Every structure is written in C-alpha cells, then in structure tokens.
C-alpha cells in the first residue's frame, strides 16, 4: 500500500502563452495552451514555442525582443532559465510598440 501524498505528485495543468502584435503575426496565434507537468522555466516555454512554430529566425528575433509578463509580473532582465512559470499562469509576449 502506498502512502504517497498529494505533495509527492507533480502539479499537472497548462500555461497560457499570449502573443501580441509582431509575436502574433510570427506565430499566427493570439494564444496557445501548453500542457505542463509542474513548474517550468520561461526558457523551456520559449524553446518549446520555437520548436512548435518551426524555429523560424523571425519568431526567434521577435521573442528575443519582447517584454514578458507572467501574470501581471514583468520578467524584466531576469534570466529566463531561472524564471519559473506555474501551471495555470499566463505568459504574455509583448513586442516593442511604436507610439504616436
């Protein structure tokens, strides 16, 4: 008989990726739901998105130039390999905007 608790199980769910402006044009999507087996780094989510969308140089350039929000928290200059995204959270890719 197993005495494993819910704490021992990975938290399964999904992360919502939202693409704005040039990121939307490069992916052809406004958003996509990504299944995850627990917390995942932003770097993994970006690498997976690139793989799913043909790893185009255009998309890579756009995502590299984006400001990123996780929920309502800006990632700023944090290393994407150290930024954890929890199941249920959303990641917003906001390319630079020209205003006027």
């Amino acid at each position: 008989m197993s005495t494993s608790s819910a704490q021992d199980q990975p938290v399964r769910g999904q992360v919502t990726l939202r693409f704005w402006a040039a990121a939307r044009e490069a992916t052809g999507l406004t958003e996509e739901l990504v299944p995850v087996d627990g917390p995942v780094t932003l770097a993994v989510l970006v690498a997976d998105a690139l793989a799913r969308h043909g790893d185009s140089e255009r998309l890579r350039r756009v995502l590299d130039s984006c400001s990123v929000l996780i929920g309502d928290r800006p990632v700023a200059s944090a290393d994407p390999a150290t930024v954890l995204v929890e199941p249920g959270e959303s990641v917003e890719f906001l390319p630079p905007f020209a205003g006027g």
Side-chain angles (χ1 to χ4, degrees):
M1 175 181 201
S2 173
T3 59
S4 132
S5 70
Q7 292 176 341
D8 298 333
Q9 303 302 314
V11 177
R12 290 192 160 87
Q14 59 191 16
V15 170
T16 303
L17 303 183
R18 291 195 180 100
F19 304 102
W20 296 92
R24 179 182 58 234
E25 291 173 16
T27 62
L29 301 170
T30 55
E31 73 176 38
E32 67 181 322
L33 302 176
V34 179
V36 295
D37 288 332
V40 62
T41 66
L42 178 58
V44 166
L45 289 171
V46 169
D48 288 350
L50 287 167
R52 276 192 308 282
H53 299 285
D55 201 9
S56 75
E57 184 60 32
R58 177 177 179 225
L59 179 57
R60 184 178 296 280
R61 280 194 317 268
V62 168
L63 293 182
D64 284 346
S65 70
C66 284
S67 295
V68 178
L69 298 174
I70 298 175
D72 59 359
R73 298 181 331 261
V75 171
S77 61
D79 178 356
T82 65
V83 176
L84 284 180
V85 181
E86 298 286 337
E89 289 189 303
S90 63
V91 178
E92 312 269 342
F93 293 96
L94 304 160
F97 293 95

